């Protein structure tokens, strides 16, 4: 199945502009069929991947990262592919166009992407309706909604509207390419204010996604936020291993990296986060995972889950089933019974 994608379909998709190909993929994922025929069901030993992250029971630690299905349009198809969870969003309080095109670029030789989307969103009302509809259907994967907002009040509005229809919320703390004022929730005081407001009313697990850092001062700041998230009882945290790169072919002249090229930094980031959180809250690995061996390395470094986006673009619809199968093989090769045994080996 994945050979069909990489040898036949991907070359066709890659003839299209990247954003158009992304839109086409989402259209095909709007319904369960034909994805319900996918190979994921045939992965044997799947029960060995069962795990718990931040209070969420997951069939697999492998998740889909925010940004592929920004407006919760493709959940019926995505739900058939073998992911333990699907992150929709980022959902913004009002409809928002994002940055000018071109804002997505493929780097095929590196199996990577550069994007400067700038959080386009159909907006809260639109996404809430679709999430509400999907929540009434039987489903395999957990659904996490990434919400992002310019201020605490509109965060709370989004939170109240979306939380009843999903399994968990991920608080996004401003997109790196957001050109209209960014970074305000990366200051410890406003971050604390946001956490207190949300944690006081939440009924479901809350995750936080913080921006990657670009220098030592930012690194210290991000690790301070990880400490605050742990202190206030957030359920999990993620920080992608990505960075900004200059690229004249993109409308802003730069883009945020994702894909294979960022995996080493993702691993380093997990170790740094684990050094602060020490297993007290979950870590979601985010950035550059393409294989079960890489997922294994991320879990062994301290992550509770591993989420992907760019490998779905390069490897196709079978990527989750493939990583799940390879992760089981990676457990076998180390004589480990299951993912929980791997996690139990981490230092407290
Ligand atoms: C096309 C694209 C759109 C994205 N949109 C969002 C977004 O809306 N919100 C967000 O928090 N992250 C977004 N991201 C970042 C991803 O969630 C993830 O952190 C990043 O792609 C690294 O993971 P990967 O290497 O597996 O792709 C986006 C990434 C890409 C490539």
């Amino acid at each position: 199945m994945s050979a069909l994608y990489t040898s036949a379909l991907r070359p066709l998709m890659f003839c299209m502009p990247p954003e158009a190909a992304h839109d086409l993929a989402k259209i095909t994922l709007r319904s369960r069929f034909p994805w319900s025929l996918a190979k994921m069901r045939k992965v044997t030993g799947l029960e060995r991947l069962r795990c718990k992250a931040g209070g969420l029971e997951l069939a697999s630690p492998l998740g889909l990262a925010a940004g592929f299905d920004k407006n919760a349009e493709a959940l019926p198809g995505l739900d058939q592919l073998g992911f333990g969870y699907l992150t929709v969003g980022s959902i913004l309080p009002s409809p928002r166009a994002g940055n000018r095109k071109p804002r997505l670029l493929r780097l095929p030789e590196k199996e990577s992407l550069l994007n400067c989307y700038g959080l386009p969103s159909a907006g809260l009302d639109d996404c809430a309706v679709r999430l509400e509809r999907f929540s009434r259907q039987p489903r395999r994967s957990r659904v996490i909604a990434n919400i992002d907002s310019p201020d605490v009040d509109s965060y709370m509005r989004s939170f109240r509207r979306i939380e009843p229809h999903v399994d968990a919320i991920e608080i996004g703390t401003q997109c790196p390419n957001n050109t209209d004022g960014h970074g305000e929730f990366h200051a410890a005081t406003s971050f604390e204010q946001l956490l207190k407001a949300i944690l006081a009313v939440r009924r479901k697990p809350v995750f936080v996604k913080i921006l990657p850092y670009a220098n030592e001062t930012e690194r210290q700041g991000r690790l301070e936020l990880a400490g605050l998230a742990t202190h206030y009882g957030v359920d999990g945290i993620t920080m992608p291993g990505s960075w900004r790169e200059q690229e004249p072919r993109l409308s802003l002249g730069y883009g945020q990296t994702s894909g294979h090229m960022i995996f080493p930094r993702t691993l380093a980031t997990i170790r740094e986060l684990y050094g602060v959180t020490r297993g007290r809250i979950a870590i979601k690995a985010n950035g550059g995972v393409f294989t079960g061996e890489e997922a294994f390395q991320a879990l062994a470094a301290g992550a509770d889950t591993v989420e992907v986006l760019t490998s779905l673009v390069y490897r196709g619809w079978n990527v989750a089933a493939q990583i799940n199968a390879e992760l089981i093989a990676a457990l076998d090769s180390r004589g480990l019974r299951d993912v929980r045994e791997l996690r139990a080996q981490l230092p407290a």
Side-chain angles (χ1 to χ4, degrees):
M1 287 285 263
S2 64
L4 172 68
Y5 178 76
T6 48
S7 62
L9 277 172
R10 191 176 71 185
L12 288 177
M13 301 279 279
F14 279 22
C15 289
M16 300 169 71
E19 199 169 331
H22 184 176
D23 290 342
L24 178 63
K26 281 186 296 182
I27 290 172
T28 68
L29 285 159
R30 278 184 190 168
S31 74
R32 289 160 59 100
F33 189 80
W35 311 108
S36 47
L37 308 175
K39 193 174 159 187
M40 57 154 289
R41 287 191 186 152
K42 299 190 190 91
V43 174
T44 46
L46 214 48
E47 65 285 349
R48 295 168 65 191
L49 300 186
R50 244 182 248 142
C51 58
K52 201 167 176 179
L56 272 190
E57 301 272 0
L58 301 171
S60 160
L62 189 77
L64 178 69
F68 183 84
D69 190 12
K70 290 172 184 290
N71 300 314
E73 293 161 310
L75 285 171
L78 288 170
D79 189 48
Q80 304 298 317
L81 302 187
F83 289 104
Y85 64 92
L86 305 167
T87 313
V88 298
S90 297
I91 300 172
L92 277 287
S94 309
R96 187 187 145 92
N99 294 326
R100 282 190 329 277
K101 296 178 185 174
R103 51 192 182 177
L104 182 60
L105 187 74
R106 301 182 191 101
L107 305 174
E109 67 291 351
K110 296 180 178 162
E111 289 195 305
S112 296
L113 297 171
L114 281 178
N115 90 85
C116 61
Y117 263 95
L119 297 188
S121 174
L124 176 62
D125 291 338
D126 208 78
C127 296
V129 168
R130 274 192 286 272
L131 286 169
E132 205 261 322
R133 197 182 308 138
F134 188 68
S135 72
R136 286 191 259 112
Q137 295 170 19
R139 56 204 156 95
R140 297 158 182 272
S141 314
R142 300 287 186 175
V143 176
I144 302 178
N146 175 301
I147 57 171
D148 211 311
S149 275
D151 58 68
V152 174
D153 286 348
S154 47
Y155 258 117
M156 295 313 293
R157 192 160 63 83
S158 297
F159 188 84
R160 289 198 169 92
R161 184 81 198 275
I162 299 284
E163 195 206 30
H165 310 309
V166 294
D167 298 299
I169 294 281
E170 178 173 83
I171 306 170
T173 47
Q174 294 284 345
C175 172
N177 308 303
N178 192 351
T179 48
D180 48 16
H182 62 88
E184 52 262 59
F185 288 108
H186 288 89
T189 42
S190 44
F191 185 71
E192 271 184 291
Q193 200 193 346
L194 177 63
L195 290 190
K196 281 183 189 164
I198 285 186
L199 294 172
V201 298
R202 63 83 168 269
R203 294 178 179 186
K204 295 183 177 161
V206 170
F207 296 85
V208 174
K209 182 172 188 178
I210 50 181
L211 288 184
Y213 52 81
N215 53 47
E216 182 52 27
T217 312
E218 282 188 2
R219 191 180 83 89
Q220 294 297 340
R222 301 297 191 261
L223 296 181
E224 187 189 347
L225 299 189
L228 285 171
T230 311
H231 172 76
Y232 281 103
V234 161
D235 298 282
I237 191 160
T238 189
M239 178 162 67
S242 57
W243 61 87
R244 179 184 284 190
E245 231 171 70
Q246 298 304 311
E247 176 49 69
R249 285 173 289 175
L250 290 173
S251 64
L252 294 189
Y254 59 83
Q256 198 70 12
T257 52
S258 67
H260 229 173
M261 66 196 274
I262 74 171
F263 181 66
R265 191 159 159 199
T266 296
L267 266 189
T269 302
I270 298 163
R271 292 196 182 103
E272 288 178 315
L273 287 177
Y274 193 79
V276 174
T277 57
R278 306 303 290 181
R280 283 172 290 161
I281 65 172
I283 295 173
K284 299 196 290 149
N286 182 309
V289 171
F290 275 59
T291 66
E293 180 57 33
E294 287 160 348
F296 182 93
Q297 287 176 35
L299 296 172
D304 296 77
T305 74
V306 177
E307 50 191 42
V308 304
L309 194 164
T310 304
S311 55
L312 178 60
V313 174
Y314 281 95
R315 298 286 158 88
W317 61 84
N318 208 31
V319 74
Q322 210 172 328
I323 294 179
N324 282 337
E326 289 168 2
L327 183 53
I328 293 168
L331 291 171
D332 278 340
S333 69
R334 274 87 169 183
L336 290 166
R337 196 179 53 244
D338 52 30
V339 165
R340 278 163 297 189
E341 191 178 356
L342 165 62
R343 292 280 317 159
Q345 293 184 344
L346 288 170

